[in-house]
Amino acid sequence: MGKRVRRRQLLSSLTKKQKQHLRDFGEEHPFFDRVSGKEAKPQICQLSESSDTSNSESESESEPEQVSGYHKLLATLKNASEEEEDEEEEEEEEDSVDDAEVNEEDVSEEEETAAESAEMQEKVTLSAEAEEENHGDGETPGESQKPPAEFTDAKHEALFSLETNFLEEEGGDDCSLKVSQDPFVHHVNKELKEKEVQALPTNPKTTHRLKKPLGSTWTKTNGQFMSGPQKSRCPFSPLQKELFLLMNSYRDLFYPERTALGNGEEIRRVYCLHALNHVLKANARVLSNNTRRRSQKPGLSEDDGFRDQGLTRPKVLMVVPFREAALRLVQLFISLFEGDSKKKVVVSNRKRFQSEYGSDPEERPPNLKRPEDYEAVFVGNIDDHFRIGVAVLQRSIRLYAPFYSSDILIASPLGLRTIIGGEGVKKRDCDFLSSIELLIIDQADIYLMQNWEHVLHLMDHMNLLPLDSHGVDFSRVRMWSLNNWARFYRQTLLFGALQDAQINSVFNRFCVNLEGQVAVRNVPGPGSISHVLAQLPHVFQRMDPENLATAIDARFNFFVNKILPQYRDAIMSHTLIYVPSYFDYVRLRNYFKREELNFTHICEYTQKPAVSRARHFFLQGEKQFLLLTERFHFYKRYTIRGIRNLLFYELPTYPHFYSEICNMLQATSRGEEATWTCTVLYSKFDAQRLAAVVGAERAAQMLQSKRSVHLFVTGEQ
């Protein structure tokens, strides 16, 4: 008898449910298989180690009725619930069957089979996970343990999934909530309709809206960074577009690639747009709610729909290093309000602001020659002690507004420190920081050269509960402000020119935005050592402190005991010691005085006549050592002449300072090139600075190498 005839006979004897299973899965359900005309009892089979399904294709063709015990065992774990069986029976009544008839014997046979399957389910001694493990190890199913009760319950089987079981172990009873909030689950579970797919190419690329009049004035204000047809299609440059999308998502952002010569002005404009957009939207909501409250009938209870304010009015704090930067911020605000409109925005106290924050070009010496990056940073008024409040209205800006009547505060770290005060000071105030919703810290690297403690002091006093009510209407205050959760809603935008451990620490410690964080981490390139033109051997000596707390003392002891004795000889004259930290500078200066070494020193607090004398003595060789601080080099950028030996007590904060200092040896070249030396101290805690100087690959090798001394030679032909 042929296979087709046997198959027709087999189909004619099947019930509707068996045929439905055959159509869905291409094979009969193991519970309804017949062997020799009798229902097969559950058996325990010995599985081979190499087989997953036990039957090959040829065996399935010749013996379609043979089903392995492994499949029968797994099938017992897949029984549907009673509701699912009812739904399947209703669907089967609607389907037509061409080649089979249902009789009372089939119905009774189906009921008997269902009863037997229920008994078999109670007798199962293997779970699905144990079966897979035993099958891979070649063990028999009977040797495994019993599964948990919830896996044998048909009602609970629908809850079994990898995500929920994993989250139950991690987070307890809240696993279903975590799964539903997983962005990945939302992404893969979203089902698009055909109309949505067809509309995707025509969807607008930018969906964020700007508050009036920013949408029309931004194009003119930002016109210099746009060109050609891109200006009408997208009013942002590629960098501005990426940054604005992140800003508008209200995530915390740390962007360490901001440079005064490159993209500094480009970044300043986009965060000013975001700040002003935030203030205008917040003020518009308050005005709208004021109108609603006035039109509300008396006697009606107010609900939480009017909660639109913080505990104090200031919403945005912009921290910049110099008055020139504050001047540019206010000018951008005015430009964003006016745009192409013929109506000029009303700016109160404008003349006073120009006189106090502007600069006189004649004050700058005409013959002063400094690097381009220095000119870009120290342009205009570089006073670092200031603070100003800005109140923003519909068509007017009020400068020098009282802090508690301002929307935007612009200040330097020093200006904020003097008003916040310290512990024990009678006149101190930090309540104006209680409801800051947007904190912008620009040019963060410059604060490392000013006083980083002011930044830490500011962050410690952000979003604290105020000590006074300051006339606030508590019925209008948002609940998360009353609950002292404002720091979780504050967005922090941090911009700088370099990667530094102290800046990273502030971003990781004080930025706890509920929307998340975005930090840019670009791999350093070849390093600033590639810009050294002088023919010079660079000796990098690694020290191995036990931990970060002992690194400062370990560096000092290593320098005094192992490095300095090599330079005490009179032959090693004209030695410049570059010291980044002022505290290390003071410690070395005191040690040199105690040891009565022939040295001179220059720091950022040294008066100009003393600087001239120190440079002269060092050039003439009257002083063997010159201690130089990094802050002095940052603020003055003098060329030190007469250097023959260089000692970097620590790697520079700015990587390009390394090449600048090394190239100073060429300033007074008198044929001593063969005797020039350069020694650098570093440890594993200087990984970021080391990578910026020698490159990421070399830094990794130097930190992992068993050797503690590494040599590089620059300037070779």
Side-chain angles (χ1 to χ4, degrees):
M1 185 180 294
K3 293 183 178 179
R4 293 185 179 178
V5 177
R6 285 189 299 171
R7 184 170 184 81
R8 289 177 182 174
Q9 293 179 354
L10 180 62
L11 290 174
S12 63
S13 62
L14 296 179
T15 63
K16 289 183 178 181
K17 190 170 184 180
Q18 291 170 342
K19 288 180 179 180
Q20 180 69 23
H21 189 279
L22 184 61
R23 284 196 300 269
D24 294 341
F25 302 96
E27 63 178 2
E28 293 182 59
H29 198 284
F31 289 153
F32 307 116
D33 288 346
R34 295 179 176 84
V35 180
S36 302
K38 296 182 180 180
E39 293 294 331
K41 295 182 179 180
Q43 299 177 356
I44 298 177
C45 303
Q46 180 70 33
L47 301 178
S48 61
E49 296 183 359
S50 60
S51 65
D52 265 351
T53 59
S54 75
N55 289 340
S56 61
E57 295 181 358
S58 60
E59 292 175 345
S60 63
E61 292 180 358
S62 60
E63 298 179 2
E65 298 178 351
Q66 295 294 333
V67 182
S68 66
Y70 174 72
H71 281 240
K72 292 181 179 181
L73 196 58
L74 289 182
T76 61
L77 301 178
K78 300 298 183 181
N79 287 337
S81 62
E82 295 178 359
E83 296 179 358
E84 295 174 347
E85 289 179 349
D86 294 338
E87 293 176 0
E88 290 179 0
E89 290 177 2
E90 293 176 1
E91 293 175 359
E92 289 171 2
E93 291 177 1
E94 297 176 359
D95 295 339
S96 61
V97 182
D98 298 335
D99 52 354
E101 295 181 356
V102 181
N103 52 29
E104 296 179 358
E105 183 179 356
D106 292 332
V107 175
S108 60
E109 187 175 327
E110 182 177 353
E111 293 175 354
E112 292 175 2
T113 308
E116 289 183 7
S117 63
E119 294 178 0
M120 291 167 61
Q121 183 176 359
E122 294 177 356
K123 296 178 180 179
V124 171
T125 58
L126 288 177
S127 65
E129 295 179 355
E131 174 62 24
E132 292 178 0
E133 294 178 0
N134 294 340
H135 178 64
D137 298 335
E139 297 178 0
T140 59
E143 296 175 355
S144 60
Q145 298 178 356
K146 293 185 178 181
E150 58 267 29
F151 292 146
T152 60
D153 189 352
K155 294 182 179 180
H156 292 170
E157 285 198 47
L159 300 178
F160 179 82
S161 66
L162 178 62
E163 291 83 0
T164 54
N165 279 270
F166 178 79
L167 289 174
E168 282 176 356
E169 296 177 1
E170 297 267 337
D173 299 334
D174 204 18
C175 60
S176 60
L177 179 61
K178 294 183 179 179
V179 172
S180 64
Q181 294 176 350
D182 188 357
F184 171 77
V185 176
H186 286 291
H187 175 66
V188 298
N189 287 349
K190 182 175 179 59
E191 304 237 356
L192 294 177
K193 299 180 181 178
E194 186 175 356
K195 294 182 179 180
E196 295 176 342
V197 175
Q198 295 176 355
L200 283 177
T202 60
N203 286 345
K205 301 300 181 184
T206 303
T207 59
H208 303 290
R209 295 182 179 180
L210 296 176
K211 191 66 178 176
K212 292 181 179 181
L214 302 181
S216 58
T217 59
W218 170 251
T219 304
K220 178 183 177 181
T221 304
N222 198 49
Q224 70 182 89
F225 298 105
M226 313 308 303
S227 61
Q230 187 182 10
K231 183 175 181 179
S232 59
R233 185 174 69 253
C234 180
F236 297 96
S237 67
L239 174 61
Q240 288 177 332
K241 182 179 179 181
E242 296 292 335
L243 292 178
F244 185 74
L245 290 176
L246 291 173
M247 293 176 187
N248 217 34
S249 66
Y250 282 90
R251 296 184 178 94
D252 291 336
L253 173 64
F254 174 34
Y255 185 76
E257 304 295 329
R258 185 228 192 261
T259 58
L261 276 176
N263 54 20
E265 190 64 27
E266 193 176 358
I267 294 175
R268 180 185 284 118
R269 298 197 177 199
V270 71
Y271 73 64
C272 281
L273 173 67
H274 176 58
L276 199 55
N277 189 44
H278 177 83
V279 170
L280 291 177
K281 287 183 177 180
N283 289 350
R285 186 177 183 183
V286 173
L287 294 176
S288 176
N289 287 341
N290 289 344
T291 304
R292 289 173 54 197
R293 292 188 68 182
R294 285 194 298 267
S295 61
Q296 191 177 28
K297 295 181 180 180
L300 296 178
S301 60
E302 298 180 356
D303 55 8
D304 290 343
F306 295 117
R307 294 191 177 273
D308 51 14
Q309 303 174 15
L311 291 167
T312 53
R313 181 173 173 178
K315 308 172 187 65
V316 178
L317 173 61
M318 310 179 81
V319 182
V320 289
F322 304 119
R323 286 180 180 258
E324 173 67 20
L327 175 66
R328 295 189 182 186
L329 293 180
V330 174
Q331 291 175 345
L332 279 174
F333 291 153
I334 298 174
S335 177
L336 287 171
F337 263 100
E338 292 180 348
D340 296 328
S341 177
K342 295 181 180 179
K343 296 182 180 179
K344 296 295 182 181
V345 62
V346 178
V347 182
S348 60
N349 301 320
R350 191 168 189 172
K351 291 184 178 180
R352 175 189 171 187
F353 178 75
Q354 290 286 351
S355 63
E356 293 184 1
Y357 285 78
S359 60
D360 187 1
E362 298 181 356
E363 295 179 357
R364 189 176 184 84
N367 58 349
L368 188 64
K369 295 182 180 180
R370 293 292 183 268
E372 293 182 354
D373 64 302
Y374 179 89
E375 298 287 350
V377 171
F378 294 97
V379 64
N381 191 335
I382 58 172
D383 180 23
D384 62 350
H385 187 193
F386 62 92
R387 53 184 178 269
I388 183 173
V390 181
V392 178
L393 304 177
Q394 291 182 346
R395 296 297 302 174
S396 64
I397 297 177
R398 182 187 177 189
L399 302 178
Y400 295 97
F403 269 25
Y404 292 98
S405 301
S406 303
D407 296 297
I408 302 175
L409 305 179
I410 305 175
S412 65
L414 178 60
L416 291 172
R417 178 64 181 267
T418 54
I419 192 173
I420 293 174
E423 296 294 337
V425 179
K426 293 183 178 180
K427 293 183 179 181
R428 56 177 311 202
D429 184 14
C430 64
D431 289 354
F432 58 89
L433 301 174
S434 61
S435 298
I436 295 296
E437 301 168 7
L438 177 58
L439 171 62
I440 301 174
I441 303 178
D442 196 10
Q443 297 176 275
D445 53 286
I446 296 181
Y447 309 136
L448 296 172
M449 300 293 108
Q450 293 178 345
N451 194 333
W452 190 250
E453 291 295 328
H454 297 339
V455 178
L456 298 178
H457 192 72
L458 167 64
M459 300 305 294
D460 285 332
H461 291 80
M462 289 294 301
N463 298 114
L464 301 179
L465 288 176
L467 301 178
D468 192 3
S469 63
H470 300 281
V472 66
D473 182 1
F474 286 97
S475 66
R476 301 286 296 273
V477 179
R478 301 184 186 94
M479 291 305 300
W480 48 263
S481 291
L482 296 175
N483 292 334
N484 196 21
W485 293 344
R487 64 185 184 277
F488 301 114
Y489 289 82
R490 185 191 74 234
Q491 181 187 24
T492 304
L493 305 178
L494 188 59
F495 302 97
L498 51 86
Q499 293 274 8
D500 187 84
Q502 298 183 76
I503 302 178
N504 294 340
S505 175
V506 165
F507 187 72
N508 296 329
R509 177 184 172 189
F510 295 102
C511 298
V512 289
N513 191 341
L514 62 88
E515 297 294 339
Q517 296 179 337
V518 176
V520 177
R521 298 283 190 267
N522 288 336
V523 179
S528 61
I529 195 173
S530 60
H531 301 291
V532 177
L533 304 178
Q535 187 172 353
L536 181 67
H538 306 257
V539 180
F540 287 79
Q541 297 203 14
R542 187 182 71 220
M543 54 180 185
D544 298 312
E546 295 181 359
N547 50 59
L548 185 59
T550 60
I552 297 177
D553 294 334
R555 186 184 302 273
F556 177 78
N557 295 329
F558 185 86
F559 177 82
V560 169
N561 298 326
K562 296 187 177 181
I563 303 299
L564 191 58
Q566 305 174 16
Y567 290 85
R568 288 201 176 208
D569 198 320
I571 300 177
M572 305 297 291
S573 61
H574 298 271
T575 299
L576 173 67
I577 304 177
Y578 183 88
V579 188
S581 172
Y582 179 77
F583 301 103
D584 291 334
Y585 160 80
V586 172
R587 189 175 188 178
L588 288 175
R589 184 191 62 188
N590 295 339
Y591 176 81
F592 276 41
K593 287 182 178 180
R594 290 196 305 268
E595 295 294 322
E596 298 181 353
L597 296 177
N598 185 19
F599 80 104
T600 186
H601 52 89
I602 301 175
C603 70
E604 57 270 26
Y605 304 110
T606 306
Q607 298 296 325
K608 192 172 182 179
V611 173
S612 299
R613 289 194 299 270
R615 294 175 64 191
H616 175 74
F617 292 153
F618 182 73
L619 175 62
Q620 300 300 325
E622 298 180 17
K623 299 294 183 181
Q624 181 179 357
F625 298 98
L626 171 61
L627 294 178
L628 183 72
T629 63
E630 185 175 60
R631 287 184 181 176
F632 175 83
H633 182 68
F634 174 79
Y635 283 105
K636 301 299 182 181
R637 301 295 276 275
Y638 287 172
T639 299
I640 307 298
R641 301 178 181 273
I643 304 175
R644 298 180 187 176
N645 304 287
L646 263 177
L647 279 175
F648 284 92
Y649 186 78
E650 188 178 0
L651 286 162
T653 303
Y654 287 90
H656 63 278
F657 282 2
Y658 183 85
S659 56
E660 282 187 13
I661 299 295
C662 291
N663 288 329
M664 287 182 184
L665 277 74
Q666 295 179 321
T668 54
S669 178
R670 300 174 183 175
E672 310 95 350
E673 290 84 351
T675 61
W676 288 348
T677 64
C678 178
T679 304
V680 185
L681 304 186
Y682 74 96
S683 69
K684 61 182 179 181
F685 302 108
D686 302 322
Q688 287 184 334
R689 296 187 180 185
L690 182 64
V693 172
V694 302
E697 295 183 1
R698 291 177 178 174
Q701 296 174 359
M702 295 168 63
L703 292 173
Q704 297 174 2
S705 176
K706 296 181 179 179
R707 296 182 301 163
S708 60
V709 180
H710 300 269
L711 174 64
F712 300 96
V713 180
T714 58
E716 290 184 322
Q717 299 296 331

